[in-house]
C-alpha cells in the first residue's frame, strides 16, 4: 500500500547536489569537524544507509529553516560528503529515500527527518504530541512513518504518512574541540579500582541531586550537579568506589506516557548512542553537554570514583511496527532490526517492541564504536548492559560464542573496562545467570531472591544462603571465573526500594496510570506487620532492624556489592515498584531524610560496613573458598557451624532452620600481594539469625578462636552518625561459650586468637 492521500507532503525526489558539497570521506561515521585538504574548515558527514536510494543532509538555522544537501558519494553503503563552513553547533539531520514496502520490511520515508545514529550531541526533544491551536486538542505529532489513524487499523502501519516531521524532532549537533571539555580532560586519572575492591552505587543523574539542598538549584538534576562538591561528599563519606548511572544516552519519551502527563524517567528508551542526554545538561545543548559530561567524569575520578554507564543496546525508542520513525527505522529498517518470518513484524526479545540485529556487521560496529567512544573520549570506566542476553543471541538462540561477545573479548579497549551483564531477556531461553564468559560480571538475581527470602522467613533451609554468602560458586566457579563475577544486590532501580521492601507486601503503582497492572508481582517482601507507612513504634523499629540486617548481609557477602542511591538513608517510593515514569519526588532521592537520626544512623552503619570491607581482604576475596586449609597447620578458609558450635554436616544443610554461622579465616586467604607475600588478615565469625525468637548458640572454640570481639550487632540502633565503639567498649565473648542471639539479628565478631 502507498501513501495516504491529501496530506502535506515532502517531495520524494532529492534536490540537485549543491556545488559546495565535496566528496569527503566515508570514515569516520557521523559528523566530524575538521580541516579539508585545501585548508578550509568544515564538517565531514558520513551515514551508513544500506539499501537506500538517496540521502539528503539537512542543516537547520536558529529559526528552524532547513537547507538540504544531497550526499552523492557512496562507498560501501556509506553516504558521505564534506561541507566547508559548517562549524560546531550546527544542527542537522537526514532524509533517506527508498522503497516504502512494509510487507517486505522496507520502511523508507523521506518525509521523516532522522537523527544521525552517530550524533555526538542532540538539541531539542521529540514532540510526541502537538496542539492544533490555542486550547485545541492534543494530537499525535507526525513522527510516524505510517498513518496512525488509518480506518483499517490492522494495516495502518503499511500506509505511508507523508507529513514532514522536522519541526517535531530533535537535531544532531556538530561538536568541536571547544565543546568537548578536552582541556580539562588531558590529565584525567582513572581510579582503576580492582573488581574485588569495588562497591557499586546505582544512581540516576537527575534524581540524585534534584532535592539536594547543598547543590545550587540551577545545577540540580544535571551532570554538573552530580559533579558538585556537595554531591561528591556523600559518595566519598559512604566509601563507594563506582557510580552506575542509569541511562545517559539520548532517549525519548513514549507517546503513551506523554498522553498521561508523565515522562520516561529512567531513560531505557535510547536513540542516540553517542550523545549524552541533553535534558541533564546545565550548560547548554548545542554541544556544551559533551564537555559538561566530561567534567562530571573528571570530578568523580578526582574523588576516586569510577563511572559505569547503564547502556541499552538491545532495543531503541522506535518500538514495534506501530512505533515512530526517528532514526534507524528510516535509515534501513531491515538492516538494523531483527524481523520475523513476516518481515512486517519485529522480533521482540526485549518487551519493548524491537530488538537490534547485533549479528549484522554495521549494527555491531555501531555498538562497539559507541562503547569505545565513551571509554576513550568520554572517560567512562565500564558498562552495565541492559538485557544482555538479547545482545548475545546469534540468529535466534542465546549463544555465548556470539559475534557481540567475541568482538568484546578481543577488543583492546573494551576488554579492559568493567563489563556487567543483566544476564537475561524476555525471549525463550533468555535467562542466562551464570552463563556469561569469564570477562564478564553479572547481576546475580539468585543472590537478591535468596537473601530477601531468608530475612522474610520464607526459606526452608540454608543451603542456598550458604552459596550466596560465599560468592555463588555454584554459578560462577567455572572457566576461570572469580567470586567478583557476582554482582550482589538486594534492590535496583526496578522494584521496591530497600525501605519499601520491609514496608509493603504489595505494589502500589496507581500513579503510573496503568491500574496497578505494571511492575512485578514477585517482590519477596514483608511489611513487618502493617502495609505502608505507620507510626506504630514496634513496626518501625522492626523495619529499621531488617534494613540493618539486609545491608549488613550484603556488605559481608563475597562478591561485588551494589547499593541503590538513597537505600542507605531509607528512601521510599511509597510502594511503587516500577517508578520508571515518576520524574518527581517519588523517584528522586529525599535528602531531608538525613535530618532524622534513625536514617542518619543507617547511612553511618552503611559507611562503617563499607570501610570494614575495604580494610579487610578476607571480606573481598579474589578466589573462591575451597573449604580447606591454605597452608600447613592452617584452618579451613571457610567453615560453617551449627547452633551447637560444631561444624555443619551435610544433613544440617537440609534441615529446617533460620540460623547460619559463617567463619572466614584471615590466615587462609589464597592470595599474595604484589611482592609475592601471602596475604593475611583477621578472622571473622558472622551469625545470621532470621527467626523472630531469640536463639542460644555456642561459639566455636579452639582452634578457631580464643575469644570473639563483637563488631556489629544489628539488634541495636547504631549511633546517629555511625561512629564505631572504641575497642575497650566492644563486648568480648568466650570461645566455646553460650550466646543468646536476639531475634532477627546479624552479629559480626572478630576472632581473637587463643
Amino acid at each position: 500500500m502507498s501513501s495516504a492521500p491529501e496530506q502535506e507532503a515532502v517531495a520524494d525526489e532529492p534536490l540537485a547536489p549543491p556545488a559546495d558539497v565535496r566528496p569527503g570521506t566515508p570514515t569516520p561515521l557521523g559528523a566530524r569537524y575538521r580541516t579539508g585538504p585545501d585548508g578550509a574548515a568544515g564538517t565531514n558527514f558520513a551515514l551508513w544507509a544500506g539499501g537506500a536510494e538517496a540521502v539528503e543532509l539537512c542543516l537547520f538555522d536558529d529559526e528552524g529553516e532547513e537547507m538540504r544537501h544531497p550526499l552523492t558519494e557512496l562507498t560501501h553503503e556509506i553516504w558521505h560528503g564534506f561541507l566547508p563552513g559548517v562549524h560546531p553547533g550546527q544542527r542537522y539531520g537526514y532524509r533517506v529515500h527508498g522503497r516504502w514496502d512494509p510487507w517486505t520490511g522496507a520502511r523508507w520515508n523521506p518525509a521523516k527527518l532522522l537523527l544521525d545514529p552517530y550524533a555526538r550531541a542532540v538539541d531539542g526533544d521529540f514532540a510526541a504530541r502537538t496542539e492544533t491551536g490555542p486550547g485545541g486538542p492534543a494530537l499525535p505529532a507526525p513522527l510516524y512513518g505510517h498513518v496512525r489513524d488509518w480506518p483499517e487499523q490492522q494495516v495502518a502501519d503499511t500506509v505511508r504518512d507523508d507529513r514532514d516531521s522536522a519541526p517535531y524532532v530533535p537535531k544532531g549537533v556538530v561538536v568541536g574541540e571547544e565543546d568537548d571539555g578536552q582541556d580539562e580532560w588531558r590529565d584525567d586519572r582513572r581510579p582503576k579500582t580492582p573488581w574485588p575492591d569495588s562497591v557499586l552505587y546505582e544512581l540516576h543523574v537527575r534524581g540524585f541531586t534534584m532535592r539536594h539542598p547543598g547543590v545550587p538549584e540551577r545545577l540540580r538534576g544535571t551532570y554538573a550537579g552530580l559533579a558538585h562538591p556537595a554531591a561528591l561528599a556523600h559518595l566519598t563519606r559512604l566509601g563507594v568506589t563506582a557510580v552506575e548511572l542509569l541511562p545517559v544516552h539520548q532517549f525519548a519519551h513514549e507517546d503513551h506516557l506523554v498522553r498521561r502527563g508523565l515522562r520516561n524517567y529512567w531513560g531505557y528508551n535510547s536513540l542516540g548512542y553517542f550523545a549524552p542526554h541533553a535534558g541533564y545538561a546545565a550548560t547548554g545543548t548545542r554541544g556544551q553537554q559533551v564537555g559538561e559530561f566530561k567534567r562530571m567524569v573528571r570530578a568523580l575520578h578526582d574523588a576516586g570514583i569510577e563511572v559505569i554507564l547503564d547502556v541499552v543496546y538491545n532495543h531503541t525508542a522506535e518500538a514495534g511496527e506501530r512505533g515512530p520513525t526517528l532514526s534507524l527505522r528510516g535509515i534501513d529498517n531491515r538492516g538494523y532490526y531483527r524481523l520475523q518470518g513476516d518481515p512486517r513484524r519485529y522480533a521482540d526479545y526485549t518487551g519493548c517492541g524491537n530488538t537490534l540485529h547485533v549479528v549484522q556487521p554495521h549494527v555491531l560496529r555501531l555498538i562497539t564504536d559507541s562503547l569505545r567512544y565513551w571509554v576513550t573520549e568520554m572517560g567512562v570506566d565500564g558498562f552495565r548492559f541492559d538485557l544482555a542476553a538479547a545482545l548475545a543471541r546469534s540468529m535466534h538462540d542465546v549463544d555465548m560464542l556470539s559475534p557481540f561477545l567475541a568482538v568484546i573479548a578481543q577488543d583492546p579497549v573494551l576488554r579492559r573496562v568493567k563489563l556487567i551483564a543483566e544476564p537475561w531477556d524476555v525471549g525463550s531461553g533468555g535467562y542466562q545467570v551464570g552463563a556469561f564468559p569469564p570477562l564478564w560480571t553479572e547481576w546475580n538475581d539468585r543472590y537478591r531472591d535468596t537473601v530477601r527470602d531468608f530475612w522474610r522467613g520464607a526459606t526452608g533451609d540454608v543451603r542456598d544462603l550458604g552459596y550466596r554468602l560465599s560468592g555463588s560458586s555454584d554459578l560462577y566457579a567455572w572457566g576461570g571465573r572469580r567470586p567478583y563475577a557476582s554482582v550482589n544486590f538486594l534492590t535496583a532501580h526496578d522494584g521496591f526500594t530497600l525501605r519499601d521492601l520491609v514496608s509493603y507486601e504489595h505494589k502500589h503503582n496507581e500513579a503510573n496510570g496503568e491500574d496497578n497492572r505494571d511492575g512485578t508481582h514477585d517482590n519477596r517482601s514483608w511489611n513487618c506487620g502493617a502495609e505502608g507507612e505507620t507510626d506504630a513504634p514496634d513496626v518501625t523499629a522492626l523495619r529499621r532492624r531488617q534494613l540493618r540486617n539486609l545491608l549488613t548481609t550484603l556488605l559481608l557477602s563475597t562478591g561485588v556489592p551494589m547499593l541503590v542511591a538513597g537505600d542507605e538513608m531509607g528512601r521510599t517510593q511509597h510502594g511503587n515498584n516500577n517508578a520508571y515514569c515518576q520524574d518527581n519526588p517519588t523517584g528522586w532521592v529525599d535528602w531531608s531524610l538525613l535530618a532524622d537520626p534513625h536514617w542518619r544512623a543507617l547511612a553511618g552503619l552503611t559507611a562503617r560496613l563499607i570501610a570494614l570491607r575495604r580494610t579487610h581482604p578476607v571480606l573481598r576475596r579474589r578466589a573462591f573458598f575451597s573449604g580447606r586449609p591454605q597452608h600447613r597447620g592452617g584452618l579451613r578458609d571457610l567453615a560453617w557451624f551449627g547452633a551447637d558450635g560444631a561444624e555443619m554436616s551435610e544433613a544440617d544443610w537440609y534441615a529446617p532452620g533460620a540460623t547460619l554461622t559463617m567463619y572466614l579465616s584471615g590466615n587462609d586467604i589464597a592470595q599474595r600481594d604484589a611482592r609475592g607475600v601471602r596475604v593475611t588478615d583477621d578472622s571473622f565469625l558472622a551469625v545470621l539469625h532470621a527467626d523472630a525468637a531469640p536463639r542460644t548458640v555456642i561459639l566455636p572454640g579452639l582452634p578457631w578462636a580464643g575469644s570473639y570481639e563483637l563488631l556489629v550487632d544489628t539488634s541495636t540502633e547504631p549511633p546517629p552518625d555511625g561512629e564505631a565503639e572504641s575497642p575497650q567498649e566492644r563486648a568480648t565473648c568466650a570461645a566455646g561459650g553460650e550466646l543468646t542471639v536476639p531475634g532477627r539479628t546479624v552479629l559480626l565478631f572478630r576472632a581473637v586468637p587463643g
Side-chain angles (χ1 to χ4, degrees), residues 514-536:
E514 300 179 42
D515 298 322
N516 208 35
R517 295 189 304 269
D518 62 306
T520 182
H521 296 283
D522 184 21
N523 294 297
R524 300 176 187 245
S525 59
W526 177 48
N527 63 19
C528 297
E531 185 72 0
E533 294 302 308
T534 178
D535 293 328

Side-chain angles (χ1 to χ4, degrees), residues 231-416:
L232 295 174
H234 182 76
L235 300 175
T236 55
R237 275 196 301 269
L238 273 182
V240 298
T241 68
V243 290
E244 185 176 304
L245 305 182
L246 268 67
V248 297
H249 288 162
Q250 187 72 32
F251 63 87
H253 304 287
E254 297 92 327
D255 183 53
H256 71 90
L257 291 177
V258 176
R259 288 199 306 270
R260 298 200 299 268
L262 299 170
R263 294 162 53 87
N264 187 313
Y265 171 56
W266 287 348
Y268 290 91
N269 206 36
S270 298
L271 198 63
Y273 290 131
F274 290 77
H277 186 65
Y280 300 156
T283 52
T285 60
R286 297 289 282 269
Q288 298 93 336
Q289 62 265 54
V290 180
E292 183 178 332
F293 184 93
K294 288 185 175 184
R295 288 187 288 273
M296 175 197 74
V297 173
R298 167 65 182 268
L300 286 160
H301 283 176
D302 286 348
I305 297 170
E306 294 184 301
V307 178
I308 296 173
L309 301 188
D310 195 334
V311 289
V312 189
Y313 294 112
N314 56 78
H315 74 279
T316 76
E318 293 186 300
E321 60 268 14
R322 293 179 180 270
T325 296
L326 307 173
S327 182
L328 305 183
R329 174 177 286 134
I331 295 170
D332 187 351
N333 183 58
R334 294 177 297 191
Y336 276 108
Y337 292 116
R338 290 181 180 266
L339 304 180
Q340 297 183 18
D342 173 4
R344 178 184 159 196
R345 310 293 186 191
Y346 292 79
D348 182 11
Y349 297 112
T350 67
C352 299
N354 66 56
T355 307
L356 278 178
H357 202 351
V358 180
V359 175
Q360 295 278 17
H362 50 273
V363 180
L364 187 56
R365 178 183 178 182
L366 170 68
I367 294 173
T368 53
D369 282 353
S370 168
L371 291 169
R372 282 189 291 268
Y373 171 74
W374 287 96
V375 174
T376 60
E377 298 197 36
M378 302 294 273
V380 306
D381 305 285
F383 305 93
R384 178 265 188 191
F385 292 82
D386 181 66
L387 300 181
L391 298 172
R393 291 183 182 270
S394 289
M395 295 312 296
H396 299 290
D397 296 333
V398 177
D399 177 9
M400 292 304 160
L401 298 176
S402 67
F404 173 75
L405 294 178
V407 166
I408 296 292
Q410 60 79 42
D411 189 283
V413 172
L414 300 180
R415 69 189 182 199
R416 291 189 171 95

Side-chain angles (χ1 to χ4, degrees), residues 30-374:
R32 299 302 291 270
Y33 181 66
R34 62 179 176 81
T35 301
D38 61 355
T43 300
N44 191 83
F45 295 89
L47 176 75
W48 181 90
E53 297 172 0
V55 171
E56 290 176 296
L57 169 68
C58 305
L59 305 181
F60 293 85
D61 63 19
D62 291 341
E63 285 70 44
E65 291 295 321
E66 178 180 352
M67 297 153 284
R68 296 194 207 170
H69 303 276
L71 300 181
T72 57
E73 299 293 327
L74 181 61
T75 305
H76 304 310
E77 298 186 316
I78 297 173
W79 301 78
H80 54 92
F82 177 80
L83 275 73
V86 173
H87 299 291
Q90 174 65 59
R91 299 184 304 154
Y92 73 100
Y94 290 105
R95 298 186 188 273
V96 181
H97 298 250
R99 290 187 306 115
W100 174 264
D101 186 11
W103 302 99
T104 64
R107 293 181 179 270
W108 284 286
N109 184 345
K112 308 306 168 186
L113 186 76
L114 307 174
L115 184 68
D116 179 4
Y118 279 74
R120 297 190 173 197
V122 175
D123 179 59
D125 207 345
F126 295 98
R129 314 293 291 179
T130 181
E131 299 289 333
T132 59
L139 298 175
L143 306 182
Y144 296 77
H146 63 279
V147 180
R148 297 184 72 195
D149 56 356
W150 191 254
E152 301 174 68
Q153 278 294 297
Q154 66 273 21
V155 294
D157 69 286
T158 69
V159 182
R160 197 176 77 178
D161 184 334
D162 287 332
R163 293 177 297 163
D164 185 9
S165 68
Y168 308 101
V169 297
K171 282 74 179 175
V173 178
V174 176
V175 175
E177 290 186 4
E178 64 269 27
D179 297 318
D180 66 8
Q182 198 68 34
D183 288 342
E184 297 94 339
W185 193 243
R186 297 187 193 281
D187 62 346
D188 176 65
R189 296 292 183 268
R190 297 173 185 264
K192 296 183 179 179
T193 307
W195 261 127
D197 302 339
S198 298
V199 178
L200 309 183
Y201 190 76
E202 187 193 51
L203 66 81
H204 190 287
V205 168
R206 178 171 166 82
F208 189 68
T209 59
M210 279 300 292
R211 305 179 71 183
H212 198 304
V215 175
E217 190 169 350
R218 63 182 178 82
L219 300 182
R220 294 177 189 172
T222 69
Y223 306 119
L226 180 54
H228 190 273
L232 295 174
H234 182 76
L235 300 175
T236 55
R237 275 196 301 269
L238 273 182
V240 298
T241 68
V243 290
E244 185 176 304
L245 305 182
L246 268 67
V248 297
H249 288 162
Q250 187 72 32
F251 63 87
H253 304 287
E254 297 92 327
D255 183 53
H256 71 90
L257 291 177
V258 176
R259 288 199 306 270
R260 298 200 299 268
L262 299 170
R263 294 162 53 87
N264 187 313
Y265 171 56
W266 287 348
Y268 290 91
N269 206 36
S270 298
L271 198 63
Y273 290 131
F274 290 77
H277 186 65
Y280 300 156
T283 52
T285 60
R286 297 289 282 269
Q288 298 93 336
Q289 62 265 54
V290 180
E292 183 178 332
F293 184 93
K294 288 185 175 184
R295 288 187 288 273
M296 175 197 74
V297 173
R298 167 65 182 268
L300 286 160
H301 283 176
D302 286 348
I305 297 170
E306 294 184 301
V307 178
I308 296 173
L309 301 188
D310 195 334
V311 289
V312 189
Y313 294 112
N314 56 78
H315 74 279
T316 76
E318 293 186 300
E321 60 268 14
R322 293 179 180 270
T325 296
L326 307 173
S327 182
L328 305 183
R329 174 177 286 134
I331 295 170
D332 187 351
N333 183 58
R334 294 177 297 191
Y336 276 108
Y337 292 116
R338 290 181 180 266
L339 304 180
Q340 297 183 18
D342 173 4
R344 178 184 159 196
R345 310 293 186 191
Y346 292 79
D348 182 11
Y349 297 112
T350 67
C352 299
N354 66 56
T355 307
L356 278 178
H357 202 351
V358 180
V359 175
Q360 295 278 17
H362 50 273
V363 180
L364 187 56
R365 178 183 178 182
L366 170 68
I367 294 173
T368 53
D369 282 353
S370 168
L371 291 169
R372 282 189 291 268
Y373 171 74
W374 287 96

